């Protein structure tokens, strides 16, 4: 006897336009993450370079 | 790309972040996920929204896929969890008790009773169950997901899954029999009034 749970599964297909929507949203998420990574990475780099600079500079004589 | 397994596609997508690998996975599973969402929502637009959100969630979680289960099992778990979360009523958010209660015996893996149910009546009886109960029964009987994998997906113990399955099955059986008796009575009434 066939499992009735398998028989009640709908046979509709996923709308084709959904693929484009999802792929473009994934691209958008990826790009947003790249921008965040770029900015935070650069900011961190600039901040650490600034700290290194100030540590290397000898204090001015009075 | 057809020769690649699901797990290989996941690895390739995570390491390269190239869309074609994700699209191949999407092509393999979009109908299946959409149908599951449709089973829960009974509404094509809502099922479409759910499918969209599930695949976005899958992409963001793909790097966390540890291959402890098959990709399809993992994807169905994400799908069921999403649908169950979305459709859970506030009343249902009470804490589940996984203690055995009187009137119900131990978990029985014999599913002969389920197999004998008539599909359309079963579908109607399922409508009377909560989304959690429906999801659990569908995971077990529609997708043949093991108790262990269901437990992992739901983050509960295997014995808790068995207990919840048993309760859901019991409730389904009651609803199914109620509907059956109702239609038998309607039939008898129709016959007697015809005479």
């Amino acid at each position: 006897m066939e499992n009735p749970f398998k028989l009640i599964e709908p046979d509709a297909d996923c709308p084709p336009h959904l693929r484009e929507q999802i792929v473009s949203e994934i691209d958008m998420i990826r790009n947003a993450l790249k921008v965040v990574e770029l900015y935070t990475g650069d900011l961190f780099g600039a901040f650490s370079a600034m700290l290194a600079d100030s540590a290397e500079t000898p204090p001015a004589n009075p | 790309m057809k020769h690649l397994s699901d797990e290989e596609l996941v690895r390739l997508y995570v390491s390269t972040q190239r869309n074609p690998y994700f699209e191949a996975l999407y092509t393999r599973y979009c109908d299946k996920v959409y149908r599951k969402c449709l089973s829960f929502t009974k509404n094509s637009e809502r099922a479409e929204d759910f499918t969209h959100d599930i695949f976005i969630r899958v992409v963001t979680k793909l790097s966390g896929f540890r291959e402890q289960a098959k990709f399809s099992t993992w994807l169905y778990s994400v799908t069921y969890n999403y649908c169950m979360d979305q459709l859970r009523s506030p009343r249902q958010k009470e804490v589940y008790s996984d203690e055995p209660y009187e009137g119900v015996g131990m978990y029985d893996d014999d599913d002969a009773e389920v197999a004998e149910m008539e599909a359309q009546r079963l579908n109607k009886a399922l409508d009377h169950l909560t989304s959690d109960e429906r999801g659990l029964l569908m995971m077990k009987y529609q997708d043949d997901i093991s108790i262990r994998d269901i437990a992992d997906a739901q983050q509960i113990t295997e014995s808790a899954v068995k207990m919840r399955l048993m309760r859901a099955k019991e409730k389904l059986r009651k609803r199914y029999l109620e509907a059956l008796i109702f239609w038998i009575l309607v039939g008898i009434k129709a016959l007697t009034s015809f005479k």
Side-chain angles (χ1 to χ4, degrees):
Chain A
M1 188 175 275
E2 199 168 351
N3 178 354
F5 272 89
K6 310 251 184 206
L7 295 175
I8 59 169
E9 194 172 16
D11 54 3
D13 287 340
C14 188
H17 63 89
L18 200 58
R19 173 196 291 259
E20 281 172 36
Q21 269 182 29
I22 292 173
V23 170
S24 67
E25 200 160 324
I26 291 169
D27 283 339
M28 198 186 72
I29 293 170
R30 192 185 301 127
N31 291 340
L33 282 174
K34 261 187 194 159
V35 168
V36 169
E37 201 182 301
L38 211 68
Y39 272 87
T40 52
D42 275 3
L43 274 179
F44 182 75
F47 189 67
S48 55
M50 194 181 78
L51 280 180
D53 265 5
S54 63
E56 278 170 18
T57 315
N61 288 329
Chain B
M1 221 164 291
K2 277 182 185 167
H3 61 283
L4 292 171
S5 71
D6 295 342
E7 289 72 23
E8 283 171 322
L9 283 171
V10 171
R11 266 178 256 139
L12 285 166
Y13 178 74
V14 170
S15 59
T16 64
Q17 293 291 309
R18 288 190 59 231
N19 285 346
Y21 298 122
F22 169 75
E23 286 182 61
L25 285 169
Y26 178 85
T27 307
R28 285 180 194 179
Y29 290 103
C30 64
D31 287 339
K32 194 84 182 162
V33 169
Y34 178 72
R35 285 169 192 164
K36 298 222 166 300
C37 296
L38 201 55
S39 295
F40 274 95
T41 61
K42 317 272 182 206
N43 174 305
S44 57
E45 284 174 14
R46 211 157 174 218
E48 202 179 308
D49 289 345
F50 277 25
T51 307
H52 169 273
D53 292 352
I54 287 163
F55 275 103
I56 295 293
R57 187 174 278 201
V58 162
V59 165
T60 57
K61 284 182 164 187
L62 263 186
S63 55
F65 172 58
R66 295 276 167 261
E67 295 190 32
Q68 284 162 341
K70 282 195 298 180
F71 172 76
S72 57
T73 306
W74 181 77
L75 174 65
Y76 297 157
S77 304
V78 175
T79 304
Y80 280 114
N81 283 342
Y82 184 85
C83 293
M84 282 148 68
D85 282 349
Q86 292 296 312
L87 300 173
R88 195 174 289 136
S89 65
R91 209 165 57 87
Q92 231 183 292
K93 282 181 180 162
E94 63 198 41
V95 179
Y96 270 104
S97 160
D98 293 318
E99 294 295 317
Y101 65 98
E102 278 181 40
V104 177
M106 289 307 291
Y107 175 75
D108 182 9
D109 212 16
D110 176 24
D111 298 322
E113 202 174 2
V114 170
E116 280 170 13
M117 289 181 173
E118 193 265 318
Q120 285 315 309
R121 268 194 206 107
L122 169 71
N123 211 359
K124 288 219 161 58
L126 276 172
D127 287 344
H128 293 281
L129 268 56
T130 64
S131 56
D132 283 355
E133 291 163 338
R134 212 180 331 156
L136 214 55
L137 288 170
M138 281 161 69
M139 274 196 235
K140 174 82 170 74
Y141 297 111
Q142 201 169 68
D143 295 309
D144 306 315
I145 300 177
S146 70
I147 300 279
R148 191 184 177 159
D149 286 338
I150 296 174
D152 285 345
Q154 303 273 300
Q155 295 181 324
I156 53 176
T157 62
E158 286 182 44
S159 59
V161 173
K162 287 178 183 176
M163 195 53 65
R164 290 180 191 188
L165 262 174
M166 196 171 68
R167 284 201 184 102
K169 230 160 73 170
E170 181 66 20
K171 198 168 160 186
L172 180 73
R173 195 179 63 85
K174 266 188 197 161
R175 292 290 183 181
Y176 183 84
L177 288 176
E178 274 170 18
L180 201 64
I181 290 167
F182 173 77
W183 286 111
I184 289 171
L185 289 175
V186 167
I188 291 170
K189 187 146 175 62
L191 275 175
T192 51
S193 62
F194 185 70
K195 281 176 186 172

